[in-house]
Amino acid sequence: CLWSSADNMAGLRFTAPGFEGGDPEFPADDEGKRQQVIWPSSDGSGRFLLSFAEDCIDISSDGKVGDWCLELSVNPGTELPFTEISGKSVKARYQGIDYGISVTKGELEDLRTQGGGAVLRIKPSAGKSGGTVTITLPVK
């Protein structure tokens, strides 16, 4: 909530014009090493597949989901810890500690100069339906 206000909640959100999400599914992972999420469209024509592990997040799509990306937005005017946003990594410094993420599949776009609380966009590798994003934690 450090980057939010009462009227504007900060967050990393899917942007997929034309995609209307249905009810997500949370299939069991037999090995217990990943949390899987399947988010189908309401009409069943496409879906997002999310896989969360200790060291990475994989997001992919199949079927008809259209162009999509992830966008981080915050309350406009919020002081942010980001020191660098490049095509493949985000670096930050907070309370004297350096941290970050890298994108091994997909690409980052710095939106901070656009104003209005826009911070960054993560675009899938294919740039269209069927693209993949892999976010690796932390940057090494």
Side-chain angles (χ1 to χ4, degrees):
C1 290
L2 293 176
W3 303 343
S4 302
S5 69
D7 299 324
N8 189 354
M9 183 61 69
L12 183 64
R13 295 176 177 84
F14 274 98
T15 299
F19 178 82
E20 186 174 324
D23 293 329
E25 303 165 20
F26 304 91
D29 174 14
D30 294 334
E31 297 179 22
K33 295 184 179 179
R34 291 182 168 267
Q35 173 61 59
Q36 308 288 328
V37 179
I38 300 171
W39 186 25
S41 61
S42 59
D43 65 5
S45 64
R47 65 185 183 165
F48 286 102
L49 309 162
L50 298 90
S51 179
F52 300 90
E54 185 175 311
D55 62 347
C56 71
I57 300 168
D58 290 307
I59 303 168
S60 60
S61 64
D62 62 11
K64 295 181 180 179
V65 300
D67 291 348
W68 65 275
C69 65
L70 298 165
E71 290 186 357
L72 175 62
S73 61
V74 301
N75 190 49
T78 300
E79 184 176 337
L80 299 172
F82 303 116
T83 58
E84 178 184 331
I85 299 173
S86 65
K88 291 290 184 182
S89 68
V90 175
K91 295 181 181 177
R93 183 170 184 81
Y94 184 70
Q95 295 184 345
I97 299 171
D98 293 322
Y99 64 97
I101 63 167
S102 62
V103 175
T104 54
K105 289 183 185 174
E107 186 174 320
L108 288 157
E109 183 179 353
D110 189 343
L111 303 177
R112 293 176 291 178
T113 59
Q114 291 185 5
V119 179
L120 64 87
R121 180 178 293 132
I122 305 172
K123 299 183 285 190
S125 58
K128 303 277 183 185
S129 181
T132 301
V133 167
T134 298
I135 302 169
T136 304
L137 309 166
V139 161
K140 296 183 182 188

